[in-house]
């Protein structure tokens, strides 16, 4: 059993863990980051190969339950209509994310005060504002200043070009008089901080070999390593070591299966809102009960952002294959929907079209693709002629939606997870409203046909809420600085501690919160 000593051990090298590790190293602490996945190399990303769409369905698939790499732990999402999407590698899920990068809005942190629903966060937008600004600088965020939904965003790289696809759909929003804006993207649209500019290749969700997409392996982690960060790859954390009421380190397995004990003054969990509760539930005290769980809420209140999908097919060829698929334009016109039969609201997120194989298989599933002499004609009725609008729904927490340990172990003998999730009636009504509005927009834009369905299964990217933050130890897992109410020096800084989930992509908020909490931890214990 090997022992080491650090000021901080950070578990997880994704969006939150990388940001926290950088901040700690910047302040001069001895930090080690444990990552169960491998270190990846851009030259091996699928988008450097002609078979990139096939690789997207294999080792670079975001679907945790079917990917089954050595770096994965078992995820059973059979009791959820939405599959968990994540990735275990240095950089975490930012390797495969679309880099759509809005902020949560001020009202998202106080939905009880503003909307009479659920609970307020113990922190505010104003608390996070300087950290949003710091994060957007470090992640090289592009966009257009002046969005009325975000009047305080002032420093951005130029926006990703909209092309004729964006112009086509934007005109339809204008006809309705609805809000729309070019997407904020964690994408370098010009050379900055030693990274090349985006070349609008397109398949960003399989990794960016250009280095323009701000995955944290080439942003926060690269800078943290220069400041002394130690990153241990292919090291799967099994549990947290606790002595008395204090965290002392972690137990992990290396790639050979050897068990190690790593000692640290502070333990920071950033393994995602699936991985973090998994580690905590598997960490036992002297009575064999899970640590840090006096509230009984570890794993509860899972939020996923159920997504509806509407696709419009156009007669004319568009430039839907040029540019980042997930960074085109978005609308918060229905962020709060008055006089509706549902609470809260949704974001309309406009996407570029799919690749050729996905286009073909989609047309085939709709019985719109004939084999033989008609194949080419049918294919080109769809390829480069599709615009999609996803309806990202705000997702009120429910304790019954949860992450539990399963009976299936990973290759080291640590239990996997079982996901139990049900889409609420409120969300289904919200989604129906959003899909109807999306169909109208696409028709106004000139689509000759629209297809709508939801909730879409393979869209569980936005996992939040399973180690809720709060001031009351009876009603939350961690306090307002991310520290366990029960175990000193044990911190959760990822999306697990979200109280509510907004209706916008959470990556920017995840990282900004991690930076904020890290500074609070330093102020308290540094």
């Amino acid at each position: 059993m090997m022992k080491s000593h650090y000021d901080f051990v950070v578990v997880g090298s994704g969006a939150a863990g990388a940001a926290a590790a950088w901040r700690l190293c910047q302040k001069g602490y001895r930090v080690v980051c444990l990552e169960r996945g491998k270190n990846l190399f851009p030259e091996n990303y699928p988008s450097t190969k002609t078979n990139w769409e096939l690789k997207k369905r294999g080792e670079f698939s975001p679907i945790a339950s079917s990917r089954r790499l050595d770096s994965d732990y078992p995820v059973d999402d059979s009791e959820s209509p939405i599959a968990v999407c994540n990735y275990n590698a240095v950089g975490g899920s930012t390797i495969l994310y679309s880099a759509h990068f809005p902020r949560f809005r001020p009202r998202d942190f106080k939905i009880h005060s503003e909307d009479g629903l659920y609970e307020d966060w113990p922190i505010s937008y104003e608390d996070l504002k300087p950290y949003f600004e710091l994060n957007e600088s470090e992640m090289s965020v592009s966009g257009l200043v002046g969005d009325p939904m975000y009047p305080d965003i002032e420093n951005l790289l130029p926006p990703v070009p909209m092309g004729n696809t964006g112009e086509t759909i934007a005109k339809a929003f204008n006809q309705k008089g609805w809000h729309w804006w070019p997407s904020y993207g964690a994408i370098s649209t010009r050379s900055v901080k030693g990274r090349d500019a985006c070349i609008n290749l397109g398949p960003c969700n399989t990794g960016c070999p250009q280095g323009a997409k701000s995955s944290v392996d080439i942003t926060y982690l690269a800078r943290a390593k220069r400041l002394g960060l130690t990153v241990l790859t292919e090291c799967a954390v099994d549990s947290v070591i606790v002595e008395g009421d204090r965290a002392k380190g972690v137990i992990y397995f290396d790639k050979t299966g050897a068990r190690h004990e790593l000692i640290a003054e502070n333990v920071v969990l950033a393994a995602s809102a699936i991985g973090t509760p998994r580690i905590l539930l598997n960490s036992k005290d002297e009575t064999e009960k899970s640590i840090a769980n006096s509230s009984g809420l570890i794993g509860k209140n899972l939020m996923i952002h159920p997504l509806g999908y509407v696709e419009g097919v156009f007669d004319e060829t568009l430039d839907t294959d040029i540019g980042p698929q997930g960074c085109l334009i978005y609308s918060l016109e229905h962020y709060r929907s008055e006089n509706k039969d549902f609470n809260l609201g949704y974001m309309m997120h406009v996407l570029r079209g799919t690749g050729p194989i996905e286009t073909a298989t989609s047309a085939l599933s709709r019985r719109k693709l004939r084999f033989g002499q008609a194949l080419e004609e049918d294919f080109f009725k769809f390829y480069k002629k599709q615009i999609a609008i996803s309806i990202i729904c705000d997702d009120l927490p429910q304790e019954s939606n949860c992450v539990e340990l399963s009976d299936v172990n990973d290759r080291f003998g640590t239990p996997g997870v079982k996901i139990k999730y049900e889409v609420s009636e409120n969300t289904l009504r919200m989604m129906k409203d959003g899909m109807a509005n999306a169909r109208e927009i696409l028709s106004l834009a000139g689509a000759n046909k629209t297809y709508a369905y939801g909730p879409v299964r393979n869209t569980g990217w936005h996992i939040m809420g399973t180690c809720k933050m709060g001031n009351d130890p009876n009603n939350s897992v961690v306090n307002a600085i991310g520290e366990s109410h029960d175990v000193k020096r044990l911190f959760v800084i990822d999306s697990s501690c979200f109280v509510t989930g907004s209706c916008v992509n959470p990556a920017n908020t995840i990282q900004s919160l991690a930076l904020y909490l890290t500074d609070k931890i330093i102020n308290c214990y540094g």
Side-chain angles (χ1 to χ4, degrees):
M1 182 178 287
M2 181 181 71
K3 294 190 177 184
S4 302
H5 193 280
Y6 294 89
D7 297 317
F8 288 86
V9 54
V10 178
V11 180
S13 70
W22 168 78
R23 192 62 162 176
L24 291 166
C25 289
Q26 194 184 45
K27 300 297 184 180
Y29 292 100
R30 293 166 297 170
V31 185
V32 59
C33 181
L34 296 181
E35 169 55 52
R36 68 181 295 126
K38 295 181 179 180
N39 198 19
L40 301 180
F41 300 96
E43 61 268 25
N44 295 328
Y45 286 156
S47 43
T48 64
K49 312 289 193 300
T50 55
N51 64 340
W52 65 273
E53 284 189 279
L54 297 179
K55 293 179 75 69
K56 185 179 176 182
R57 297 182 178 198
E59 62 185 300
F60 283 88
S61 167
I63 312 304
S65 57
S66 61
R67 188 175 54 234
R68 298 177 184 174
L69 302 177
D70 283 347
S71 55
D72 292 324
Y73 51 83
V75 175
D76 178 356
D77 51 22
S78 61
E79 292 188 29
S80 169
I82 301 170
V84 170
C85 296
N86 65 12
Y87 201 64
N88 294 311
V90 175
S93 295
T94 69
I95 298 296
L96 302 185
Y97 78 151
S98 68
H100 185 59
F101 222 64
R103 301 177 182 181
F104 278 20
R105 300 184 70 233
R107 197 167 173 176
D108 293 324
F109 297 89
K110 46 186 180 180
I111 70 168
H112 182 74
S113 299
E114 294 280 348
D115 301 287
L117 299 168
Y118 197 60
E119 299 171 23
D120 293 346
W121 290 51
I123 62 174
S124 69
Y125 176 86
E126 288 302 315
D127 291 327
L128 289 188
K129 182 179 176 183
Y131 294 93
F132 278 124
E133 293 167 353
L134 172 62
N135 190 51
E136 287 156 5
S137 173
E138 292 298 323
M139 292 290 282
S140 303
V141 174
S142 61
L144 182 65
V145 173
D147 185 351
M149 292 294 181
Y150 293 101
D152 52 349
I153 296 181
E154 298 177 347
N155 298 306
L156 297 166
L157 296 176
V160 171
M162 289 169 48
N164 65 19
T165 301
E167 292 175 7
T168 296
I169 201 75
K171 288 175 182 176
F173 277 100
N174 286 343
Q175 282 183 259
K176 290 291 294 182
W178 286 355
H179 167 266
W180 68 270
W181 205 254
S183 289
Y184 300 102
I187 293 174
S188 296
T189 49
R190 64 174 181 230
S191 296
V192 62
K193 298 184 179 182
R195 292 164 49 211
D196 290 334
C198 176
I199 58 173
N200 294 307
L201 181 64
C204 307
N205 291 50
T206 59
C208 176
Q210 180 75 1
K213 186 177 77 169
S214 297
S215 53
V216 295
D217 57 325
I218 60 172
T219 55
Y220 281 119
L221 287 176
R223 292 164 205 156
K225 286 178 182 177
R226 291 195 288 270
L227 294 171
L229 174 68
T230 299
V231 179
L232 300 181
T233 62
E234 298 181 78
C235 292
V237 172
D238 172 87
S239 54
V240 177
I241 303 167
V242 176
E243 292 183 6
D245 65 349
R246 178 172 172 170
K248 301 292 290 186
V250 297
I251 300 295
Y252 73 90
F253 294 94
D254 67 24
K255 63 180 179 181
T256 70
R259 183 179 184 273
H260 300 273
E261 179 180 304
L262 192 151
I263 302 300
E265 291 294 319
N266 303 277
V267 176
V268 177
L269 297 181
S272 87
I274 300 297
T276 290
R278 173 180 182 254
I279 292 168
L280 289 174
L281 290 171
N282 193 55
S283 303
K284 308 296 184 181
D285 62 19
E286 62 277 3
T287 67
E288 289 302 305
K289 291 183 179 179
S290 296
I291 66 168
N293 199 25
S294 62
S295 65
L297 291 177
I298 292 179
K300 306 293 180 63
N301 298 304
L302 172 66
M303 295 171 282
I304 294 185
H305 275 174
L307 184 144
Y309 185 85
V310 184
E311 182 180 275
V313 181
F314 293 74
D315 291 327
E316 68 274 19
T317 299
L318 300 165
D319 57 359
T320 62
D321 61 327
I322 299 173
Q325 186 182 20
C327 291
L328 186 53
I329 69 174
Y330 80 103
S331 170
L332 286 179
E333 180 69 28
H334 306 283
Y335 163 78
R336 288 291 185 272
S337 300
E338 307 297 334
N339 302 315
K340 296 286 188 177
D341 63 349
F342 55 85
N343 294 311
L344 301 176
Y346 52 87
M347 177 173 72
M348 301 177 77
H349 184 196
V350 184
L351 308 171
R352 291 179 172 85
T354 56
I357 291 179
E358 193 171 342
T359 298
T361 55
S362 176
L364 183 63
S365 70
R366 296 167 182 162
R367 299 184 179 181
K368 298 294 184 181
L369 188 70
R370 295 167 292 173
F371 289 98
Q373 293 183 341
L375 177 65
E376 182 178 2
E377 178 187 352
D378 286 354
F379 173 75
F380 282 107
K381 287 179 180 177
F382 289 89
Y383 186 50
K384 299 186 183 182
K385 295 179 179 179
Q386 306 156 295
I387 302 176
I389 299 178
S390 62
I391 307 301
I392 300 179
C393 298
D394 208 331
D395 192 11
L396 279 169
Q398 299 180 83
E399 284 192 26
S400 57
N401 289 337
C402 63
V403 178
E404 299 176 348
L405 295 182
S406 73
D407 296 328
V408 182
N409 296 339
D410 68 12
R411 65 192 185 99
F412 308 114
T414 306
V417 294
K418 185 173 184 64
I419 310 300
K420 295 181 178 179
Y421 182 87
E422 184 176 352
V423 182
S424 70
E425 286 299 320
N426 184 72
T427 298
L428 291 173
R429 289 192 291 268
M430 186 189 305
M431 189 181 296
K432 181 180 178 181
D433 184 84
M435 290 193 295
N437 282 327
R439 275 191 137 144
E440 183 179 1
I441 286 290
L442 288 164
S443 295
L444 279 174
N448 62 58
K449 179 71 176 176
T450 60
Y451 301 89
Y453 55 97
V456 184
R457 176 154 179 80
N458 293 339
T459 58
W461 287 98
H462 304 167
I463 307 295
M464 304 167 283
T466 52
C467 295
K468 175 184 165 188
M469 173 193 294
N471 293 322
D472 182 357
N474 297 312
N475 192 37
S476 56
V477 176
V478 298
N479 64 20
I481 70 166
E483 185 175 25
S484 163
H485 289 298
D486 303 338
V487 180
K488 292 181 175 61
R489 305 283 185 136
L490 172 62
F491 305 93
V492 174
I493 59 145
D494 58 18
S495 62
S496 305
C497 62
F498 280 28
V499 180
T500 52
S502 184
C503 63
V504 303
N505 297 46
N508 191 357
T509 305
I510 291 170
Q511 291 183 291
S512 301
L513 178 65
L515 293 169
Y516 167 84
L517 292 175
T518 302
D519 272 5
K520 289 296 182 183
I521 294 165
I522 291 169
N523 291 340
C524 186
Y525 288 111

